[in-house]
Amino acid sequence: MSFNKIELYDDIWEWFNGLFLSELYDGDSTLRQFYKPVGYVRIRQQIANRKDCADRVIPFNLKRRCYFIEVNDDTQDKETMRPERKGVVDTFMSATANSGRMATPGPFVWQPASSKSFSMYGYMQNRYDGSGFSIVYNTSASTGKQVAADLAFIKEAWVKPQTRMLVAEVTFANYNLGGYVSANFLLEISPSGAVKPDMDIKSFTVYHSYWAAVAEVVDIVRWLLVIGYMFLLRIYSRTRAKMAKGKTRFSYVMSLSGLTDVVIAGLFVAIQVIFLKDDPPKPESLTAFYTFLSFAHDLETLSIMEAVFILTCLLRLSSFARLNTTVYGFFKVFSRSIVNFGYFACIFIPVLFGVGAMAHALWSPYIELFSTYTLTLMSVMLAIYQPFEAIEEMYQHGGGWTLPFLVYFVLVIGLFMVNMFLAITVHAFWEVELLEADDATLKEWSNDQWLDWALWAPVYGKLTGRKPGASRIRGFTVAEEDDGSSSSGSGSDEER
């Protein structure tokens, strides 16, 4: 039984007794040829607590106990378990100390989530924390016999019908690649008996390499860039420039350049916070179960934030190309279009949500792509540029609504509203060409103006002996000083 094919309750135990047990504890398994299990294996469950039944008019002889649908800190059953299947319980408890099963934590006592645990995100429920009832084993190949013997107890006496989540957590090492893998196999069990499998597998490393030392050197450069330029020089100078024009300091923060600078600074601080976290223990030195999922997710988040940081810095760098009048025009088209996009979104987004709600109501019981509102919206948005993937299933289960839905979608969303974004961009381009076009009567900047723009004002004054500010005067130019004199340090009144 493949993990992804688990759909029913009995499939869970077919997978545990088959692929899970053989690959993890068989010394000759394909998995162990490339990866070595390290640390400990934990099987953990969360059980829903009892609640009052919603329907109070059920006949007495048909009434059964009711339990919460989701499990969280308020709805979990935290009482010590008292299994009723005496035979399998006695067999479970008769295991010796050298069986490979850890004595603590006990399988019948609920354990809260540790500070190092990480919530897993599911399909039937948004998130599951690290609490619950647990059974822990070591990863020695000889422990496989004990795990196989305990699976009967786990199935018949430990896991209950009101269990909502069952997860197997293990860490693997790959010494060829010099890294580890945190593998978490989540099984969500709905009150109807359906099972939804989901895996959270993340790679990580706990040893510092040569490139980690290189990254520390790069961080010093980033400290100088962000703290020195962004915080001290850039924000200070731009806020003063805004105030000189009669605007508030906050107006700089709300501009595109200001928002980009703030994002760069915020990402840098967040990256340093993750860097300053303590390293986890070495997996080979553990004496109790430890989950590396949180650390692995931190590394993944760090790589994403690093990529966004680079993207934002390159965006900031591209803004300097506005010195070219053509590129400046494109930036103005973009800024004007974004404003009008926001107004048009007040029409487009409600219509798009309405289409998504209609698709969800029609096909959520039959087609997985429409089973949740999130998946439905994603499917609808992708269908703007490509056909619906499940068009035959939509026709089969649409009950006569499929054709009217598609006609409305194509006419309103595909042909009209999406093309309105293009129309807004074309109109913004026309406005920029009309209002922001380059004045052909103005002369190009001289070397003096470029120096004034590039150098700090005191440096420019000492270097050229002229008053700073030439680059801020529209059309200002300075004649070339072939004779070495500085008498031609200003242009004519007309050029000013």
Side-chain angles (χ1 to χ4, degrees):
M1 171 64 71
S2 172
F3 180 79
N4 289 327
K5 293 183 179 179
I6 297 176
E7 295 180 347
L8 303 174
Y9 183 77
D10 288 339
D11 296 342
I12 297 175
W13 312 112
E14 185 177 347
W15 176 75
F16 266 111
N17 284 287
L19 199 60
F20 174 81
L21 197 61
S22 61
E23 289 294 324
L24 186 59
Y25 285 105
D26 186 351
D28 297 325
S29 67
T30 304
L31 177 67
R32 280 183 174 261
Q33 292 179 23
F34 299 96
Y35 293 88
K36 178 183 178 182
V38 292
Y40 295 86
V41 180
R42 181 171 72 173
I43 300 176
R44 179 169 56 91
Q45 68 166 329
Q46 291 183 351
I47 303 174
N49 206 354
R50 189 174 178 179
K51 70 170 185 175
D52 294 332
C53 295
D55 193 343
R56 300 180 180 274
V57 297
I58 301 176
F60 176 78
N61 61 327
L62 298 179
K63 282 187 176 181
R64 299 183 63 181
R65 293 180 177 179
C66 297
Y67 298 89
F68 287 100
I69 297 176
E70 296 188 351
V71 282
N72 52 48
D73 192 56
D74 297 324
T75 62
Q76 275 195 69
D77 185 358
K78 303 177 183 179
E79 294 184 2
T80 301
M81 296 177 61
R82 295 177 176 83
E84 299 176 356
R85 299 293 298 274
K86 186 174 176 57
V88 293
V89 173
D90 292 341
T91 303
F92 177 82
M93 298 302 295
S94 64
T96 63
N98 298 325
S99 63
R101 189 199 322 136
M102 308 304 293
T104 56
F108 308 117
V109 180
W110 182 85
Q111 301 289 331
S114 68
S115 59
K116 300 296 183 180
S117 64
F118 185 84
S119 297
M120 296 190 66
Y121 295 91
Y123 187 87
M124 299 180 180
Q125 181 175 320
N126 183 38
R127 59 182 293 272
Y128 300 90
D129 63 16
S131 63
F133 298 90
S134 304
I135 303 177
V136 179
Y137 300 91
N138 65 36
T139 55
S140 174
S142 59
T143 306
K145 294 181 179 180
Q146 185 61 51
V147 177
D150 289 349
L151 283 174
F153 160 79
I154 294 173
K155 176 184 177 181
E156 299 177 20
W158 194 62
V159 175
K160 301 181 178 182
Q162 57 268 30
T163 296
R164 299 290 180 255
M165 182 273 280
L166 183 66
V167 60
E169 304 163 281
V170 61
T171 302
F172 298 100
N174 188 312
Y175 297 112
N176 296 319
L177 297 175
Y180 300 87
V181 176
S182 174
N184 304 267
F185 302 93
L186 173 67
L187 295 163
E188 298 179 273
I189 307 173
S190 73
S192 66
V195 180
K196 177 65 178 178
D198 191 17
M199 292 181 288
D200 193 347
I201 299 177
K202 295 287 185 293
S203 62
F204 66 95
T205 181
V206 295
Y207 298 100
H208 296 288
S209 63
Y210 164 78
W211 293 109
V214 174
E216 292 180 357
V217 176
V218 174
D219 276 341
I220 297 176
V221 178
R222 290 198 297 190
W223 271 97
L224 296 175
L225 173 66
V226 176
I227 302 300
Y229 173 73
M230 206 67 71
F231 277 153
L232 300 181
L233 181 60
R234 175 72 184 173
I235 295 179
Y236 173 76
S237 62
R238 295 310 302 163
T239 51
R240 283 182 60 88
K242 291 289 185 181
M243 294 178 65
K245 295 180 180 179
K247 300 181 179 180
T248 63
R249 295 182 178 180
F250 191 69
S251 61
Y252 163 69
V253 178
M254 294 305 299
S255 64
L256 179 60
S257 298
L259 287 174
T260 306
D261 294 340
V262 170
V263 170
I264 291 174
L267 285 170
F268 175 78
V269 173
I271 289 171
Q272 300 308 312
V273 169
I274 296 178
F275 266 128
L276 293 175
K277 285 188 175 182
D278 296 332
D279 291 335
K282 304 297 185 293
E284 295 84 357
S285 62
L286 294 174
T287 57
F289 177 82
Y290 185 93
T291 176
F292 292 90
L293 186 59
S294 176
F295 180 72
H297 271 274
D298 283 344
L299 291 182
E300 182 184 54
T301 303
L302 182 63
S303 63
I304 295 174
M305 295 178 67
E306 291 274 13
V308 177
F309 180 83
I310 295 174
L311 173 64
T312 314
C313 288
L314 292 176
L315 176 63
R316 194 71 187 89
L317 180 64
S318 68
S319 67
F320 294 135
R322 289 179 296 176
L323 292 170
N324 182 281
T325 55
T326 303
V327 176
Y328 174 79
F330 286 136
F331 269 85
K332 296 298 291 185
V333 170
F334 177 77
S335 62
R336 285 176 176 269
S337 299
I338 287 295
V339 174
N340 289 318
F341 284 168
Y343 289 118
F344 182 66
C346 296
I347 303 173
F348 179 74
I349 292 178
V351 173
L352 184 66
F353 272 74
V355 171
M358 184 66 179
H360 179 75
L362 289 173
W363 298 294
S364 61
Y366 314 105
I367 304 174
E368 186 175 2
L369 291 175
F370 301 101
S371 57
T372 66
Y373 282 108
T374 302
L375 284 175
T376 302
L377 287 175
M378 291 173 60
S379 301
V380 169
M381 292 176 67
L382 289 175
I384 295 174
Y385 291 104
Q386 63 184 23
F388 284 101
E389 294 184 10
I391 191 66
E392 293 184 3
E393 290 85 350
M394 291 170 64
Y395 176 75
Q396 180 181 357
H397 301 290
W401 285 96
T402 304
L403 185 58
F405 173 85
L406 291 177
V407 170
Y408 177 81
F409 180 82
V410 171
L411 292 179
V412 176
I413 302 294
L415 297 181
F416 175 70
M417 289 199 167
V418 172
N419 289 321
M420 275 298 297
F421 288 102
L422 177 60
I424 290 173
T425 305
V426 172
H427 181 73
F429 182 82
W430 175 77
E431 287 183 329
V432 171
E433 285 291 306
L434 185 65
L435 302 176
E436 306 283 349
D438 186 27
D439 190 350
T441 62
L442 298 177
K443 296 182 179 180
E444 294 184 356
W445 273 12
S446 65
N447 292 336
D448 181 72
Q449 287 175 296
W450 282 111
L451 284 174
D452 178 76
W453 171 82
L455 299 177
W456 195 22
V459 176
Y460 170 81
K462 293 289 186 180
L463 184 64
T464 64
R466 301 188 183 94
K467 183 179 179 181
S471 62
R472 300 182 183 180
I473 303 176
R474 186 175 177 86
F476 180 86
T477 186
V478 175
E480 298 292 337
E481 300 181 38
D482 297 331
D483 57 355
S485 67
S486 58
S487 59
S488 58
S490 60
S492 65
D493 292 339
E494 293 181 356
E495 291 172 335
R496 292 180 184 272

